[in-house]
């Protein structure tokens, strides 16, 4: 039995689907029971627990061969305090359950304890979960290609892609499809101790490359437009992002600009196979109906 947290999110859902496709027994852990219907239809077992509830999480992890653990993206409150609460609860739950193996979702750049905004929460998350299972792999993912869906609304109608990343700066990016496949693969591998696995797409990409992929998919020109740092906080506020979360996100983009979103030579390096155009096709499919 493989246990997957965050199955209704981007990465966790892909992990659960990849394991199910591989014929593995899967238990997804959800916050609300009504979220489980689609997973039971796929043959998964459903457990209901909040990440902060160590007792309920221990029950959900009991009997697992391995588990995919994560710290969900912040939506409100202090992201750093939230990380402390979730990390401590999951560490306690894993110990109580006697979990033998875990793959923990993290991010490229998580080697830095500061200077990377929200990514720094994953540095702390890794520290909280380090050593709680006999075998622990920290899967440090590149920037999710699917994250571009959050700023892609003007692309089909206006031919412009807003970006907080300088258009020519190439960084590790990866489709969540590849994240799911990689996590499922590592979950089924055998090792002991700690591993750090860094995952990118087939190659590193820039915001300019993302705009070109949108243009390829849409069949018309798309231009990347860099949002000036002084204008970003107002845009996030207009989008309803709470102040503490916005500060953490802006810190991430500052860290990217400062060259901190980079791989470590001492880590395992892997690359996925999903092309940028294929990943952007999924983004367009989700964005275009809303823009009509």
């Amino acid at each position: 039995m493989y246990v997957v947290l965050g199955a209704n999110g981007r990465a966790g859902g892909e992990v659960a689907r990849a394991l199910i496709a591989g014929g593995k027994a899967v238990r997804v852990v959800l916050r609300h029971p009504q979220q489980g219907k689609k997973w039971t239809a796929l043959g998964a077992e459903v457990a209901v627990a909040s990440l902060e509830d160590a007792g309920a999480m221990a029950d959900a992890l009991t009997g697992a061969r391995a588990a995919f653990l994560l710290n969900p993206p912040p939506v409100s409150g202090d992201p750093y305090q939230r990380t402390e609460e979730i990390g401590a609860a999951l560490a306690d739950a894993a110990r109580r359950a006697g979990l033998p193996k875990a793959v923990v979702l993290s991010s490229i750049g998580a080697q830095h304890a500061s200077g990377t905004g929200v990514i720094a929460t994953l540095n702390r998350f890794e520290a909280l979960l380090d050593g709680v299972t006999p075998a622990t792999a920290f899967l440090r993912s590149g920037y999710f290609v699917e994250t571009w869906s959050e700023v892609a609304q003007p692309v089909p109608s206006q031919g412009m892609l807003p970006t907080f990343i300088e258009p020519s700066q190439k960084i590790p990016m990866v489709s969540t499809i590849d994240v799911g496949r990689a996590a499922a693969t590592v979950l089924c591998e055998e090792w002991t101790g700690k591993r750090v696995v860094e995952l990118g797409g087939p190659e590193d990409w820039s915001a300019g490359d993302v705009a070109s992929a949108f243009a390829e998919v849409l069949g018309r020109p798309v231009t990347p437009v860099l949002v000036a740092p002084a204008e970003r906080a107002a845009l996030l506020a207009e989008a309803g992002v709470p102040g503490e979360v916005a500060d953490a996100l802006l810190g991430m983009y500052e860290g990217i600009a400062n060259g901190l979103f980079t791989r470590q030579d001492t880590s395992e390096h892997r690359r996925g196979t999903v092309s940028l155009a294929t990943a952007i096709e999924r983004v367009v499919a989700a964005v275009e109906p809303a823009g009509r």
Side-chain angles (χ1 to χ4, degrees):
M1 175 68 68
Y2 293 85
V3 174
V4 178
L5 274 58
N8 283 335
R10 286 178 178 145
E14 296 293 354
V15 176
R17 282 186 282 271
L19 287 167
I20 292 168
K24 305 299 182 183
V26 173
R27 178 188 299 147
V28 297
V29 183
L30 308 174
R31 185 176 291 270
H32 304 291
Q34 61 268 30
Q35 297 173 329
K37 291 182 179 179
K38 68 179 181 181
W39 293 109
T40 55
L42 291 174
E45 182 180 318
V46 174
V48 178
S50 296
L51 295 178
E52 309 90 331
D53 187 337
M57 285 301 309
D59 290 342
L61 293 173
T62 297
R65 294 186 59 181
F68 176 75
L69 309 178
L70 50 66
N71 183 27
V75 294
S76 63
D78 181 348
Y80 303 94
Q81 180 59 38
R82 179 99 172 124
T83 296
E84 293 288 337
E85 294 168 355
I86 291 175
L90 289 180
D92 186 13
R95 292 189 181 101
R96 289 197 213 181
L99 182 67
K101 181 167 53 176
V103 173
V104 181
L105 182 63
S106 186
S107 171
I108 287 176
Q111 66 267 31
H112 302 291
S114 62
T116 57
V118 72
I119 295 174
T121 66
L122 296 173
N123 175 277
R124 179 58 182 157
F125 194 59
E126 288 189 14
L128 289 165
L129 292 175
D130 192 4
V132 301
T133 59
T136 306
F138 296 103
L139 181 62
R140 293 182 181 172
S141 168
Y143 189 95
F144 291 170
V145 174
E146 287 78 4
T147 300
W148 290 97
S149 65
E150 297 169 8
V151 295
Q153 207 61 49
V155 174
S157 58
Q158 301 175 31
M160 57 169 284
L161 176 69
T163 174
F164 288 6
I165 302 171
E166 200 283 321
S168 66
Q169 181 183 3
K170 290 186 182 290
I171 64 170
M173 295 189 201
V174 64
S175 170
T176 53
I177 298 172
D178 278 329
V179 175
R181 291 171 178 171
T185 296
V186 176
L187 281 166
C188 297
E189 294 174 351
E190 297 298 329
W191 80 93
T192 57
K194 172 183 174 180
R195 300 166 65 185
V196 175
V197 181
E198 295 184 321
L199 176 69
E203 58 186 290
D204 290 355
W205 295 307
S206 67
D209 294 327
V210 174
S212 295
F214 272 108
E216 178 183 342
V217 172
L218 293 169
R220 51 186 181 274
V222 175
T223 302
V225 178
L226 181 65
V227 179
E231 300 172 0
R232 295 173 186 175
L235 280 179
L236 292 178
E238 184 179 337
V241 179
E244 289 177 305
V245 175
D247 288 344
L249 292 174
L250 292 173
M252 176 184 70
Y253 289 106
E254 184 177 351
I256 291 173
N258 291 335
L260 298 181
F261 193 70
T262 55
R263 300 174 179 84
Q264 284 187 297
D265 292 339
T266 55
S267 302
E268 300 176 41
H269 296 166
R270 299 192 183 189
R271 287 194 177 274
T273 60
V274 176
S275 70
L276 184 56
T278 297
I280 292 300
E281 282 177 0
R282 294 208 307 170
V283 173
V284 169
V287 169
E288 273 201 312
R292 289 175 182 168

